Amino acid sequence: MSFDNITDVPGVKVGHQQNTQALTGCSVILTEDGAVASVDVRGAAPGTRETDLLEPVNMVDQVHAISLAGGSAYGLDASSGVMQFLEDQGVGLDVGVAKVPIVPSAILFDLAFGDASVRPDKQMGYEAAQKASSGIFKQGNIGAGCGATVGKIMGFENSMKSGLGSASVTLDNGLVVGAMVAVNALGDVRDPKTGEIIAGPVNPETKDIVDSEQFILDNVESFGRVGQNTTIGAVGVNAKLSKAEAKKVAQMTQNAIGRTIHPAHTMFDGDTIFALATGDKQYSIDLIGSIATQVMEKAIIRAVKEADPIQNLPAYE
């Protein structure tokens, strides 16, 4: 049975927790049996933890979870709760005197809506990990996507609601690729098949969605604020990968952001993609990367289309 989300990848579970009043939350991808992992960071304003460990030249080659959270840099605390949950389950890297769960994490900025004094913390991370399971899960205003928005190039007040999305594909040769992403971009989101802008900055006078790249050309002196956006996500695959190969898959998957979000990888975004490998069969890296890019595109579009309005911000529907 396919759920058409990242939990179709064997060994992957997902859990979410959010505060719908404060409009923030976190999402956890659990790989309790371990997953070879790496990461690619393209945005110039990232907020991350344990990403240096994922470089191919460094020693540890497996992770036990990925934490994605709102709350800006404060939200990195959620990963401590995920670590605590895994420690309670006896899961982690055995260092002799203890088992240390390896939980890389990334955050996005959602403090402009809801209550900026409430952020994903250790307790919220623990609760998200507790809820982790395989199967169908809600998308849109959930977990790390609870307070996510897009099209902030004209200010937060003229943006649109986005959220969290996930998708997967299973090929006849047995390859399973899944993606999950929280979309919180400075620019607009476009359907890569048609070029249609489906969410972005809204002209306050005409209520039309504005082309963000054209807005940059028309307002070259000033736009945006550093660190107040960011798209974060992960792609999983039931293949056998080295850390270097996982790094290449993460790099290729970033193409999905370039195809759907305009502009992408700006000074105002911290775009970060993790890659997880849970299998023991080898497949072509080019095949995996190509499929991962397509699946991530679908997840990004879902993150927008499944979102519900908040406060005065419209959503796709």
Side-chain angles (χ1 to χ4, degrees):
M1 179 180 179
S2 174
F3 304 113
D4 199 10
N5 68 47
I6 197 172
T7 66
D8 283 328
V9 179
V12 171
K13 299 178 181 177
V14 168
H16 309 281
Q17 185 62 290
Q18 57 280 319
N19 184 318
T20 55
Q21 281 71 47
L23 295 175
T24 193
C26 64
S27 297
V28 177
I29 301 171
L30 286 191
T31 54
E32 295 153 297
D33 294 331
V36 174
S38 194
V39 67
D40 187 70
V41 180
R42 295 284 174 93
T48 57
R49 172 174 165 173
E50 293 278 39
T51 50
D52 283 351
L53 189 68
L54 302 183
E55 290 301 319
V57 296
N58 293 330
M59 184 183 69
V60 176
D61 65 354
Q62 291 201 332
V63 305
H64 305 100
I66 298 291
S67 174
L68 306 175
S72 190
Y74 295 106
L76 293 172
D77 189 37
S79 59
S80 297
V82 182
M83 287 187 69
Q84 182 66 60
F85 172 80
L86 289 169
E87 183 182 28
D88 290 348
Q89 309 306 308
V91 174
L93 174 67
D94 192 343
V95 294
V97 296
K99 287 188 175 181
V100 181
I102 306 300
V103 185
S105 60
I107 51 83
L108 55 78
F109 184 95
D110 58 5
L111 302 180
F113 301 100
D115 186 346
S117 69
V118 177
R119 307 107 180 195
D121 56 11
K122 183 176 181 178
Q123 181 63 31
M124 186 179 283
Y126 192 98
E127 292 171 356
Q130 273 186 315
K131 292 182 175 182
S133 65
S134 59
I136 296 173
F137 54 83
K138 185 180 183 295
Q139 302 188 33
N141 296 20
I142 191 168
C146 185
T149 52
V150 296
K152 287 160 282 189
I153 201 165
M154 292 175 61
F156 288 108
E157 68 278 9
N158 297 312
S159 61
M160 285 181 65
K161 185 69 181 75
S162 182
L164 179 136
S166 187
S168 72
V169 67
T170 300
L171 302 186
D172 291 340
N173 63 1
L175 178 67
V176 182
V177 182
M180 188 173 81
V181 63
V183 181
N184 191 59
L186 172 76
D188 54 65
V189 178
R190 308 182 190 192
D191 185 329
K193 294 181 179 179
T194 65
E196 176 193 5
I197 300 176
I198 62 172
V202 179
N203 185 312
E205 297 178 359
T206 66
K207 304 303 180 184
D208 294 329
I209 300 178
V210 175
D211 183 320
S212 298
E213 292 178 325
Q214 186 61 50
F215 182 83
I216 292 174
L217 294 175
D218 295 339
N219 298 270
V220 295
E221 295 299 324
S222 176
F223 61 88
R225 291 185 180 180
V226 172
Q228 295 188 351
N229 308 284
T230 299
T231 295
I232 52 177
V235 60
V237 58
N238 68 334
K240 182 178 181 180
L241 299 179
S242 66
K243 283 176 70 177
E245 290 170 333
K247 178 81 172 182
K248 175 52 66 176
V249 171
Q251 288 177 340
M252 293 178 72
T253 305
Q254 286 274 12
N255 290 331
I257 293 179
R259 293 174 186 173
T260 57
I261 297 173
H262 301 261
H265 310 139
T266 74
M267 296 297 293
F268 310 102
D269 294 285
D271 303 329
T272 301
I273 297 292
F274 296 94
L276 304 166
T278 65
D280 56 11
K281 183 178 178 181
Q282 292 184 319
Y283 296 88
S284 161
I285 300 304
D286 289 331
L287 172 65
I288 295 172
S290 178
I291 298 300
T293 302
Q294 294 175 43
V295 174
M296 182 60 77
E297 287 175 12
K298 186 176 179 180
I300 290 171
I301 297 303
R302 280 187 171 172
V304 169
K305 290 189 173 182
E306 295 291 333
D308 296 316
I310 58 170
Q311 298 178 0
N312 296 321
L313 298 188
Y316 174 82
E317 288 297 330

